Amino acid sequence: MATAKQCQWLEQMLAQRCLFLFAALTTLLVVMPYLAGSDLGRALVGLLNIVILATAVAAIERSRVSFAIAMVLGMPTLCFQILALQSGLPGYFALSWGFGAAFYAFTIAHLLHYVLRVDMMTSDKLYGAAAAYLMIAICWAYLYGVMQYFYPGAFGFQGTPKILDMGELIFYSFTVLTTAGFGDVTALVIQARFATLLEAVTGVMYVAILIARLTGVYPVAGTNR
């Protein structure tokens, strides 16, 4: 009997794969400001990124092909990140962020396909939608990191050009995606400004389309379709 209950509990936990992904992403956002200032802290952030990669792969793994693509995109992200932290070379950071953006974009596409699929609504789907929103912001942060490598001075802090680290890029990305727009970090070159514009539009459209889609797919209880 105990074994059967344990198996049932394990199945329920495995069915909440998007919950683990959402929890890992939230943990990253909470601890990053306190860990990014030291070598040990950056190593812990890298370990947390491995957890995010594992939970993201688990969340989207629907076939061997999708699993293989996720691994092909995710492993270079971690490898170049390790090389970047060891050497400090901007090129390795740019490669890590580029592969990271591709991995996040691939994961977001699979999450949205899962969330918007016409079948029973579950709490895991809600966590998937929330995780996708967080991943959109982080994906754009990676893209901004690659952009400032090719366009030095693309961003500035309080009007002064500055090379932003990943924590600052994530902060900027979330202020754009949520249209909070605090204004301390700004885009200084035209390429960065138009990328900022596209992210702001993406944030607004994501919320509007998701609500409209879920309203259409999941009718109010008691109605017949």
Side-chain angles (χ1 to χ4, degrees):
M1 182 64 65
T3 303
K5 289 183 177 180
Q6 291 176 352
C7 292
Q8 184 179 5
W9 177 83
L10 181 60
E11 290 178 359
Q12 292 176 348
M13 292 294 292
L14 292 176
Q16 299 292 319
R17 290 179 290 183
C18 289
L19 170 60
F20 296 135
L21 176 58
F22 176 75
L25 290 166
T26 304
T27 303
L28 174 67
L29 297 178
V30 171
V31 305
M32 177 174 280
Y34 306 100
L35 297 179
S38 65
D39 291 338
L40 177 60
R42 285 190 288 269
L44 291 175
V45 170
L47 179 62
L48 185 55
N49 282 327
I50 294 176
V51 174
I52 292 174
L53 184 148
T55 53
V57 170
I60 69 171
E61 193 273 312
R62 308 297 172 188
S63 67
R64 292 182 179 179
V65 174
S66 61
F67 176 81
I69 294 175
M71 294 302 297
V72 167
L73 295 174
M75 293 310 297
T77 302
L78 295 177
C79 292
F80 284 120
Q81 183 181 43
I82 294 173
L83 291 173
L85 293 175
Q86 291 178 343
S87 65
L89 295 177
Y92 285 135
F93 280 107
L95 286 170
S96 174
W97 294 341
F99 277 104
F103 174 76
Y104 270 60
F106 178 75
T107 306
I108 291 166
H110 276 261
L111 281 176
L112 293 181
H113 180 266
Y114 166 62
V115 169
L116 299 178
R117 191 172 57 198
V118 182
D119 56 12
M120 181 179 297
M121 184 60 173
T122 63
S123 60
D124 192 54
K125 284 192 173 186
L126 294 178
Y127 284 116
Y133 188 74
L134 298 181
M135 295 189 79
I136 288 173
I138 298 175
C139 180
W140 277 96
Y142 280 135
L143 292 175
Y144 291 142
V146 175
M147 181 172 292
Q148 73 176 357
Y149 175 77
F150 289 102
Y151 298 98
F155 301 96
F157 181 74
Q158 296 182 347
T160 303
K162 179 185 178 183
I163 300 298
L164 304 178
D165 60 29
M166 182 48 60
E168 293 168 325
L169 289 170
I170 290 177
F171 169 78
Y172 175 71
S173 181
F174 270 98
T175 62
V176 174
L177 187 69
T178 60
T179 65
F182 295 124
D184 47 354
V185 181
T186 54
L188 300 181
V189 302
I190 190 64
Q191 292 84 359
R193 288 176 177 174
F194 269 77
T196 298
L197 175 65
L198 289 174
E199 184 183 10
V201 172
T202 300
V204 174
M205 292 181 63
Y206 178 87
V207 176
I209 293 175
L210 182 65
I211 292 175
R213 179 61 173 164
L214 292 180
T215 302
V217 172
Y218 308 108
V220 178
T223 61
N224 295 322
R225 295 295 299 271

